[in-house]
Amino acid sequence: MTTGPSVDEHAERFTLLRPLLFTIVYEILGSATESDDVLQDSYLRWAEVDLATVRDTKSYLAQLVTRQALNALRAGARRREDYIGPWLPEPLLLDENDASADVVLAESVSMAMLVLLETLTPDERAVFVLREVFGFDYDEIAGAVGKSVTAVRQVAHRAREHVHARRKRFEPVDAATTAQITEQFMTAAATGDMEGLLSMLAPDATWTADSGGKATAARRPIVGAEKVAAVMVGMFRVAERMPDVRIETVVCNSAPAVVVYSGDHLEGVFLVEITDGKITNFYAMRNPDKLAAIAVPRQISR
């Protein structure tokens, strides 16, 4: 008597592709926590699949997790509408062994790109991610989003035009330059060196803070080098009064980031976007619910 594939084979196939599947879902949802939930639910569905009917495991699982991610995205739409202040994606702390040499992957998980993807409809976002980042065929994407191939091509064109019209030129900054600029900026902010800060900021530099109404933070983006510099100096003055304050530099979303602790409590994650040697954007994550997601380093792949 023959038996079907074991549970181990389901788990082995899913585990092998998990970094890819996580990356797809994270780019659709902008939330590592929700992505973990989607993958867990997707695995339970996958475990019930007869593997003899699966011709291409990667394509099958990509379609499965995309459908689940779209369900989650639509279900959370009302929460986004009622959110207090700016909504930012959850920072993604990358595994130190992660392949940062993949320029397309690095751009696709950058905070700037994720914020831009928020302006797309759910279907546009899923189609753009699957096609432009991961290179899936239109028929595979059609199966994932429940549309015809013709409709998917139209959605892909519309999403591509939207993104390209709004996207700044993405140039990966090498690790040494990133570390140097970030260290210089943090030193200038800590010492109140406004001239030094202004020399490193783009004229239209922007500070966007996400607190969800659960922490002290600006409720609207702050635009302009002088205003952003003043915010940074003020932040360091507040930090000086915190007990056992600790500031560290990490890599989140393929960009330099600063994490601030008060004792063992994570107070905030501040992501820096650098273009042409100037800091163009700060993304300040202060929402404690989202900060919890940064505790686990992630592995991404495409």
Side-chain angles (χ1 to χ4, degrees):
M1 186 176 82
T2 59
T3 59
S6 67
V7 173
D8 288 344
E9 187 171 349
H10 280 87
E12 184 177 339
R13 293 195 193 187
F14 194 91
T15 300
L16 182 65
L17 290 168
R18 197 182 193 285
L20 165 71
L21 301 175
F22 174 84
T23 313
I24 290 173
V25 178
Y26 175 71
E27 292 190 14
I28 293 174
L29 295 178
S31 167
T33 306
E34 291 181 17
S35 297
D36 288 337
D37 292 341
V38 165
L39 289 193
Q40 183 176 0
D41 182 61
S42 297
Y43 179 75
L44 295 176
R45 294 169 184 267
W46 167 246
E48 300 297 321
V49 172
D50 180 358
L51 295 184
T53 66
V54 178
R55 295 177 58 188
D56 184 330
T57 301
K58 177 182 175 182
S59 178
Y60 188 100
L61 284 174
Q63 291 180 59
L64 173 60
V65 301
T66 296
R67 287 193 292 270
Q68 297 305 110
L70 282 171
N71 289 339
L73 188 60
R74 294 184 178 114
R78 182 58 184 271
R79 293 198 306 272
R80 299 279 181 92
E81 291 175 3
D82 297 336
Y83 200 78
I84 298 174
W87 188 97
L88 290 175
E90 287 180 3
L92 193 67
L93 180 64
L94 296 184
D95 186 292
E96 60 182 11
N97 297 320
D98 201 70
S100 58
D102 188 330
V103 176
V104 173
L105 183 62
E107 180 182 19
S108 70
V109 298
S110 69
M111 190 61 69
M113 176 59 79
L114 292 170
V115 169
L116 197 165
L117 292 179
E118 284 293 314
T119 64
L120 299 177
T121 67
D123 283 344
E124 287 173 344
R125 184 166 183 167
V127 170
F128 180 86
V129 167
L130 291 176
R131 181 62 184 171
E132 298 300 314
V133 181
F134 298 97
F136 283 99
D137 293 335
Y138 287 111
D139 58 340
E140 295 174 297
I141 301 172
V145 300
K147 293 182 178 294
S148 69
V149 171
T150 300
V152 166
R153 287 181 181 274
Q154 293 172 343
V155 172
H157 176 75
R158 190 165 61 243
R160 192 182 306 116
E161 291 293 307
H162 180 97
V163 170
H164 288 177
R166 292 163 176 78
R167 179 171 56 184
K168 292 183 178 179
R169 180 165 49 88
F170 180 85
E171 288 186 350
V173 183
D174 67 84
T177 302
T178 291
Q180 180 183 12
I181 293 175
T182 304
E183 182 178 347
Q184 287 178 346
F185 191 88
M186 300 306 289
T187 299
T191 57
D193 178 8
M194 290 294 288
E195 185 176 342
L197 291 175
L198 292 174
S199 70
M200 287 178 273
L201 288 167
D204 59 348
T206 303
W207 171 280
T208 305
D210 179 335
S211 69
K214 299 181 179 181
T216 303
R219 296 282 177 94
R220 294 181 180 178
I222 296 170
V223 182
E226 292 187 358
K227 292 180 180 178
V228 171
V231 168
M232 287 298 299
V233 171
M235 187 186 80
F236 268 85
R237 286 174 180 163
V238 171
E240 288 175 354
R241 299 194 294 269
M242 293 179 182
D244 303 322
V245 67
R246 188 171 82 256
I247 298 174
E248 300 175 359
T249 301
V250 297
V251 174
C252 286
N253 301 80
S254 298
V258 175
V259 291
V260 179
Y261 291 90
S262 179
D264 293 329
H265 179 69
L266 179 57
E267 293 286 345
V269 178
F270 305 90
L271 290 89
V272 182
E273 182 183 340
I274 298 171
T275 305
D276 294 331
K278 297 284 187 179
I279 297 174
T280 53
N281 280 287
F282 279 98
Y283 301 103
M285 179 54 64
R286 297 277 287 121
N287 185 333
D289 297 336
K290 294 184 179 183
L291 288 175
I294 202 174
V296 182
R298 311 283 180 159
Q299 184 181 3
I300 58 176
S301 174
R302 77 181 178 100

